[in-house]
Amino acid sequence: MTQGAKEERRAKVIEVLNQARSMELQAIHQYMNQHYNLDDMDFGELAAKLKLIAIDEMRHAEMFAERIKELGGEPTVSPAGGVEKGQDVEVIFPFDANVEDETLDIYNQFLLVCRENGDAISMKLFETIIEEEQAHFNYFDNVSDHIKKLGASYLARIAGTPAEAGTMSGGFIGNQGGA
Ligand SMILES: [Fe+2]
Ligand SMILES: [Fe+2]
């Protein structure tokens, strides 16, 4: 096997790791923006969850960066896209469920790229993160469902709840006792 082929395979893995990192950087900003908006709208409990999930995405961005560095690459600082601002509470949760659903699909494809190019460690990294994105999807989908089915009465129960995420700096996953 030539050195060139090995470098080529490594470059393909770095490429998908960086694309994933870009998606994480976009998600961090999107979820932080929703955290502040939900807090403004006084949906404290939902705001706190968005904050924790943004922290999870930051952890993911760092995990991808660490692996990229290990492979000799340069972690990107560019988000994959911009932030949707001023979304209503009814819009946020189906929107985020869709973000996570797309992410699951794309990361599963990236995992295959890692496998095809013989990188078991990057493959395992995607596997770990995919599990966490699935937990995010489940949460967003669940809230989205509640809002759709129960509407005002569900939202009235949330209104005025505390927005404190407390000492739960481990993020959403950490608070559930880990992935
Ligand atoms: Fe993520
Ligand atoms: Fe996520």
Side-chain angles (χ1 to χ4, degrees):
M1 220 166 283
T2 68
Q3 189 65 23
K6 187 175 148 195
E7 285 307 311
E8 218 170 277
R9 288 199 309 276
R10 183 171 284 205
K12 281 181 188 154
V13 171
I14 291 171
E15 168 67 24
V16 293
L17 289 167
N18 254 331
Q19 278 186 41
R21 181 170 150 87
S22 288
M23 290 167 64
E24 298 291 345
L25 295 176
Q26 181 180 13
I28 292 164
H29 289 291
Q30 182 67 64
Y31 295 164
M32 283 198 300
N33 177 270
Q34 292 167 341
H35 158 225
Y36 311 138
N37 280 347
L38 288 166
D39 200 0
D40 275 349
M41 292 185 268
D42 209 23
F43 296 121
E45 187 186 314
L46 301 177
K49 285 289 197 298
L50 258 302
K51 178 178 176 178
L52 293 173
I53 293 175
I55 292 171
D56 286 345
E57 310 303 11
M58 187 181 166
R59 224 175 0 88
H60 297 167
E62 291 286 36
M63 288 157 93
F64 285 128
E66 281 158 16
R67 184 60 186 149
I68 290 163
K69 293 293 274 181
E70 239 167 20
L71 293 171
E74 186 58 35
T76 181
V77 294
S78 311
V83 171
E84 293 287 332
K85 293 182 191 132
Q87 296 168 311
D88 279 331
V89 65
E90 292 87 354
V91 173
I92 288 175
F93 291 91
F95 180 92
D96 291 354
N98 187 57
V99 167
E100 298 289 340
D101 194 47
E102 287 291 307
T103 302
L104 282 165
D105 185 52
I106 292 169
Y107 284 8
N108 271 295
Q109 292 172 42
F110 287 171
L111 182 149
L112 291 179
V113 172
C114 296
R115 183 157 79 187
E116 279 162 17
N117 290 284
D119 187 336
I121 292 179
S122 297
M123 207 178 114
K124 222 166 109 187
L125 176 60
F126 273 110
E127 223 169 61
T128 302
I129 292 176
I130 283 169
E131 261 184 63
E132 299 196 5
E133 309 300 9
Q134 182 68 54
H136 293 166
F137 171 83
N138 294 350
Y139 173 73
F140 288 138
D141 192 50
N142 204 359
V143 174
S144 174
D145 237 39
H146 287 331
I147 294 174
K148 221 177 293 162
K149 288 189 183 129
L150 306 168
S153 66
Y154 172 75
L155 290 172
R157 192 181 63 73
I158 305 279
T161 51
E164 290 303 313
T167 53
M168 302 166 173
S169 54
F172 180 78
I173 301 291
N175 278 337
Q176 291 186 316

